[in-house]
């Protein structure tokens, strides 16, 4: 009888979803508005967060209660995590029966692949919470006052084709972003410090990076994002949607959506109101019309008869109970206004520590002076504030991004952000800056060759085959037909290096070979990308083993994702590498002196802001820094007869002028 009830419930849910369409397009308007709570009719453009807004403990309890009610209506069990906007875990709730439902959480996107994180099966006690945290962080980090993105959106934009399943289309615009916010990063922070004292300063790390598995949504109050909810349930598979041509019933997604009742993204900011390359983003395959009435009216209070709060070390201590979030933009959140001190007139925001001191002010490096770093960030802010945003509303908004400048050894020389930039772009902009500086260096090949082998695992976490990192150097040299590649000083932007990191070269053409930094077609998946993941694979798995109390990892990883590098070595790519556009190396004449990375509001915008920032500084009186000379840029290379691309700037990018082709000839 129970299984029959479940079948009828699931069938009814799928019929409702099919009738309503995806992403808020259907259902009764009054129900939709009620689900959005204080976000109905808001028209925030980044300034709403000036009024401190955050999740209260009561809000978190209501979100969980609603999600639990929906899970019960589906006759299933779930684990639910709630975070604030900078990734502080506010609660993890495990429903009764989760541990009995299965013994493992399976990481699966494609069958027949045994590389990277693909096919891992993690003990349910702990990994359920880890997966839920990653989904919640994704919903929070990808969203802003101008756009509300979900983990289903992430699934759409990180795969080998955009849209997924459409052959001979280029890879997703944020191809590779899933391997950011990593626990081994030296930028994102622990939730709990060494003294087990909770620290609200963010941004915080994610145990699995950003998630492409549906079931993660942002949470909003008064039009501003205040956090995210993540859910894993039913079959406890951590995967993604490989085909968006149909409408799926996903219990994780419907339960998480129910949790957002009263905190849902404003209708005009929902992802399916935003286009990329002329394609509509996919917010959800569920709709509030499919949410059970019991879920919409659940709460207040934590449903303690249905489950318990559970701890994840270094992320959340359940003995502290349900926590309140921090107000984004306040010093307590770790992100606040610069107040015009360092970047006057730019409306800039900075990252601060527990003493409210700028974590990464303009600083002297080996090759760059603090004044030059300040000028680079200042000019990037200027370009961003003029630029027309790609992935936010209202139309005509300025681009919202984070900017990072690094030395040739990866040391952070300065970071800042524009108003309301999505949180994920902070760690990613740093990855991009370091990646450009690293691949442009004459010792890149030697550094890669000295890295230890990457260890792969069987599904039950036993050692399997190993990958020689030096093989990526050999593959690159063979692919470009140059025995000195990665040691000859060719300048690589992230767009150029990203071209070599795709499972197809040219990008998206199914009949083409894979790039040398990618896995081959039969081995590639979003959970096994190639050099990008293999660089950090040992550290990622060590962290998972640590969280799951596996004796093979008695201590956690340090703050360097490049596994095997000593703690005292330069942080060349300490938070991993990134393989979608938005960075360029910086030169003084013909000499590499650093890198600049930009991330947040469209990859062409990111490219333009980084490239033009360097150019505009080169035009300042007395300046001696410049973009890479055209003769050594990666677009002078034509591996396999196809020219690499260096940067790609929007044709008509600015709100204050009709100027076009602004990067041509520079």
């Amino acid at each position: 009888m129970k299984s029959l009830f479940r079948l009828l419930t699931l069938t009814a849910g799928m019929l409702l979803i099919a009738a309503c369409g995806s992403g808020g397009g259907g259902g009764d308007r009054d129900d939709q508005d009620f689900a959005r709570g204080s976000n109905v009719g808001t028209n925030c453009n980044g300034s709403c967060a000036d009024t401190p807004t955050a999740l209260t403990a009561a809000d978190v309890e209501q979100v969980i209660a609603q999600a639990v009610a929906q899970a019960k209506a589906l006759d299933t069990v779930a684990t639910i995590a709630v975070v604030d906007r900078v990734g502080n875990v506010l609660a993890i709730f495990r429903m009764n029966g989760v541990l009995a439902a299965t013994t493992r959480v399976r990481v699966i996107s494609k069958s027949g692949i045994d590389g990277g994180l693909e096919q891992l099966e993690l003990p349910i006690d702990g990994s359920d919470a880890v997966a839920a945290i990653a989904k919640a962080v994704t919903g929070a980090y990808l969203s802003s006052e101008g756009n509300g993105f979900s983990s289903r959106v992430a699934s759409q934009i990180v795969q080998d084709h955009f849209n997924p399943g459409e052959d001979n289309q280029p890879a997703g615009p944020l191809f590779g972003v899933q391997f950011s916010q990593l626990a081994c990063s030296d930028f994102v922070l622990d939730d709990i410090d060494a003294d087990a004292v909770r620290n609200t300063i963010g941004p915080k790390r994610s145990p699995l990076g950003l998630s492409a598995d549906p079931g993660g949504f942002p949470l909003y109050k008064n039009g501003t994002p205040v956090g995210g909810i993540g859910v894993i349930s039913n079959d406890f598979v951590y995967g993604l949607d490989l085909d968006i041509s149909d409408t799926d019933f996903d219990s994780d997604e419907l339960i998480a959506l129910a949790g957002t009742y009263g905190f849902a993204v404003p209708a005009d900011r929902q992802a399916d109101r935003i286009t990329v390359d002329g394609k509509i983003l996919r917010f959800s395959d569920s709709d509030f019309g499919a949410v059970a009435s019991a879920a919409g009216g659940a709460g207040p209070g934590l449903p303690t008869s249905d489950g318990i709060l559970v701890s994840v070390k270094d992320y959340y201590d359940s003995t502290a109970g349900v926590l309140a979030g921090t107000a984004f933009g306040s010093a307590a959140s770790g992100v606040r206004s610069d107040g015009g001190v360092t970047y006057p007139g730019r409306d800039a925001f900075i990252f601060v520590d527990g003493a409210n001191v700028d974590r990464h002010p303009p600083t002297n490096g080996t090759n760059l002076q603090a004044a030059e770093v300040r000028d680079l960030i200042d000019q990037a802010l200027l370009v961003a504030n003029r630029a027309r945003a790609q992935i936010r509303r209202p139309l005509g908004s300025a681009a919202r991004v984070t900017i990072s400048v690094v030395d040739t050894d990866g040391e952070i020389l300065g970071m800042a952000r524009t108003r309301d930039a999505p949180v994920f772009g902070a760690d990613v902009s740093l990855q991009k800056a370091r990646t450009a500086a690293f691949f442009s260096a004459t010792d890149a090949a030697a550094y890669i060759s000295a890295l230890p082998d990457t260890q792969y695992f069987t599904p039950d976490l036993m050692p399997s085959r190993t990958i020689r990192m030096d093989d990526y150097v050999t593959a690159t040299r063979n692919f470009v037909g140059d025995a000195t590649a990665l040691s000859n000083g060719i300048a690589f932007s992230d767009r150029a290096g990203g071209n070599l990191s795709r499972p197809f070269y040219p990008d998206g053409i199914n009949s083409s070979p894979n790039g040398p930094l990618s896995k081959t077609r039969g081995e590639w998946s979003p959970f096994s990308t190639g050099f990008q993941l293999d660089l950090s694979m040992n550290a990622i798995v060590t962290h998972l083993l640590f969280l799951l109390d596996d004796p093979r990892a008695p201590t956690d990883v340090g703050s360097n994702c490049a596994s095997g590098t000593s703690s005292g070595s330069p942080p060349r790519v300490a938070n991993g590498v990134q393989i979608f556009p938005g960075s360029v190396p910086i030169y003084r004449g013909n000499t590499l002196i650093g890198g600049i990375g930009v991330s947040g509001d469209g990859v062409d915008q990111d490219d333009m802001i980084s490239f033009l920032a360097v150019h505009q500084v080169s035009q300042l009186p007395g300046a001696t820094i410049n973009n890479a000379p055209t003769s050594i840029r990666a677009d002078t290379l034509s591996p396999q007869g196809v020219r690499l691309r260096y940067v790609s700037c929007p044709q008509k990018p600015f709100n204050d002028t009709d100027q076009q082709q602004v990067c041509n000839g520079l």
Side-chain angles (χ1 to χ4, degrees):
M1 190 68 181
K2 183 176 180 180
S3 60
L4 176 61
F5 171 77
R6 175 169 172 72
L7 177 62
L8 292 173
T9 303
L10 293 176
T11 303
M14 286 187 282
L15 289 173
L16 277 168
I17 294 167
C20 294
S22 68
D28 182 81
R29 177 172 175 78
D30 291 338
D31 287 340
Q32 298 288 333
D33 286 352
F34 185 76
R36 301 190 193 282
S38 63
N39 304 304
V40 172
T42 57
N43 193 34
C44 296
N45 64 2
S47 298
C48 290
D50 288 347
T51 300
T53 305
L55 289 167
T56 66
D59 291 337
V60 177
E61 291 178 350
Q62 181 181 342
V63 168
I64 292 172
Q66 292 169 171
V68 168
Q70 182 63 54
K72 292 171 67 177
L74 295 176
D75 191 29
T76 191
V77 292
T79 299
I80 304 145
V82 179
V83 302
D84 69 11
R85 191 173 178 180
V86 292
N88 291 300
V89 180
L90 308 181
I92 305 170
F93 189 85
R94 178 186 289 153
M95 291 180 65
N96 300 328
V98 164
L99 299 184
T102 184
T103 59
R104 317 286 281 181
V105 170
R106 294 174 291 157
V107 181
I108 300 173
S109 68
K110 293 185 175 182
S111 61
I113 297 175
D114 65 348
L117 300 178
E118 194 77 59
Q119 310 299 324
L120 292 185
E121 296 185 4
L122 309 174
I124 183 69
D125 191 2
S127 59
D128 57 331
V130 165
I133 292 170
K135 294 187 185 189
V137 166
T138 302
Y141 277 18
L142 291 180
S143 301
S144 70
E145 289 184 12
N147 67 290
F149 285 2
S150 63
S151 56
R152 184 174 288 278
V153 174
S155 178
Q156 183 181 1
I157 60 180
V158 302
Q159 296 191 46
D160 52 352
H161 296 296
F162 181 66
N163 282 314
E166 295 181 12
D167 288 347
N168 298 313
Q169 295 295 319
L174 266 63
F175 182 89
V177 76
Q178 64 270 35
F179 296 121
S180 65
Q181 331 303 319
L182 299 174
C184 49
S185 167
D186 63 338
F187 173 73
V188 290
L189 304 171
D190 288 354
D191 283 274
I192 301 173
D193 66 20
D195 298 320
V197 176
R198 181 171 179 261
N199 173 21
T200 65
I201 299 295
K204 296 298 176 59
R205 58 187 184 168
S206 170
L208 285 170
L210 293 182
S211 175
D213 189 19
F217 288 105
L219 299 168
Y220 282 72
K221 289 177 70 174
N222 302 314
T224 192
V226 289
I229 178 176
V231 171
I232 188 163
S233 70
N234 197 20
D235 58 5
F236 291 91
V237 169
Y238 185 81
L240 45 77
D241 186 1
L242 294 171
D243 181 4
I244 69 169
S245 64
D246 58 2
T247 300
D248 298 328
F249 176 82
D250 189 302
S251 61
D252 297 5
E253 186 168 65
L254 184 53
I255 294 167
L257 185 69
T260 71
Y261 218 81
F263 304 91
V265 56
D268 193 53
R269 303 298 191 259
Q270 197 162 281
D272 52 13
R273 299 295 303 275
I274 294 172
T275 61
V276 175
D277 292 339
K279 300 178 181 182
I280 296 174
L281 295 175
R282 188 75 162 262
F283 182 70
S284 175
D285 278 7
S286 296
D287 187 276
F288 285 110
V291 171
S293 58
L302 201 66
T304 53
S305 62
D306 295 306
I308 59 171
L309 296 172
V310 293
S311 299
V312 173
K313 60 183 176 182
D314 287 358
Y315 286 88
Y316 173 70
D317 181 358
S318 63
T319 63
V322 175
L323 304 172
T326 55
F328 187 77
S330 67
S333 73
V335 182
R336 66 157 173 84
S337 172
D338 166 62
V341 173
T342 306
Y343 309 104
R346 302 297 190 228
D347 193 24
F349 284 69
I350 57 176
F351 303 93
V352 296
D353 60 21
N356 196 21
V357 175
D358 191 348
R359 288 172 59 190
H360 299 297
T363 303
N364 287 330
T366 304
N367 303 291
L368 278 162
Q369 299 301 306
E372 293 175 317
V373 175
R374 195 212 74 86
D375 286 345
L376 285 163
I377 295 176
D378 182 70
Q379 290 299 308
L381 291 167
L382 174 61
V383 176
N385 287 335
R386 295 181 59 211
R388 181 180 297 106
Q390 167 64 42
I391 53 171
R392 64 187 300 120
R393 295 177 68 88
L395 298 178
S397 295
R400 310 299 194 185
V401 299
T402 302
I403 303 133
S404 296
V405 175
V406 301
D407 208 337
T408 52
D409 64 0
E411 290 286 353
I412 304 172
L413 300 183
M415 291 183 72
R417 46 180 279 138
T418 60
R419 174 177 293 275
D420 196 42
V423 174
F424 86 91
D427 189 59
V428 170
S429 70
L430 180 57
Q431 287 181 319
K432 289 182 180 182
R434 284 172 166 168
T435 303
F438 172 68
F439 278 107
S440 302
T442 56
D443 65 343
Y447 182 92
I448 295 169
S449 296
L451 290 171
D453 292 346
T454 294
Q455 180 66 62
Y456 285 170
F457 293 84
T458 63
D460 57 355
L461 288 177
M462 296 301 294
S464 177
R465 61 191 175 104
T466 58
I467 302 298
R468 282 173 42 89
M469 296 300 290
D470 183 51
D471 288 346
Y472 286 109
V473 175
T474 302
T476 300
R477 290 176 168 176
N478 291 338
F479 192 82
V480 302
D482 185 349
T484 67
L486 302 180
S487 61
N488 55 15
I490 291 292
F492 273 89
S493 63
D494 247 6
R495 184 177 290 273
N499 287 167
L500 300 178
S501 302
R502 303 296 196 269
F504 308 101
Y505 186 87
D507 187 15
I509 306 301
N510 288 53
S511 59
S512 301
N514 61 284
L517 299 176
S518 170
K519 292 296 187 185
T520 60
R521 194 167 315 163
E523 292 188 30
W524 183 91
S525 88
F527 291 141
S528 187
T529 55
F531 176 81
Q532 181 198 30
L533 175 60
D534 287 349
L535 175 78
S536 303
M537 177 71 180
N538 293 345
I540 292 171
V541 172
T542 296
H543 182 61
L544 290 175
L545 294 175
F546 170 75
L547 295 182
L548 299 174
D549 290 320
D550 190 295
R552 288 173 290 179
T555 59
D556 199 3
V557 292
S559 56
N560 198 324
C561 293
S563 306
T565 57
S566 65
S567 59
S569 62
R572 298 288 296 272
V573 282
N575 61 331
V577 297
Q578 199 45 257
I579 53 177
F580 68 94
S583 70
V584 293
I586 307 167
Y587 286 76
R588 198 180 311 278
N590 292 317
T591 302
L592 176 70
I593 59 173
I596 181 172
V598 176
S599 189
D601 214 350
V603 296
D604 289 351
Q605 283 74 9
D606 295 349
D607 254 4
M608 178 185 72
I609 294 165
S610 60
F611 184 72
L612 286 187
V614 179
H615 172 71
Q616 291 180 185
V617 171
S618 75
Q619 304 303 298
L620 297 177
T624 61
I625 67 176
N626 49 268
N627 274 301
T630 55
S631 61
I632 63 170
R633 292 180 190 171
D635 57 3
T636 60
L637 304 179
S638 296
Q640 311 297 307
V642 179
R643 186 172 66 89
L644 284 171
R645 300 180 71 187
Y646 193 68
V647 295
S648 180
C649 300
Q651 290 184 348
K652 186 180 175 183
F654 297 125
N655 284 314
D656 59 358
T657 178
D658 289 335
Q659 184 181 5
Q660 299 191 41
Q661 307 294 349
V662 296
C663 298
N664 284 8
L666 301 181

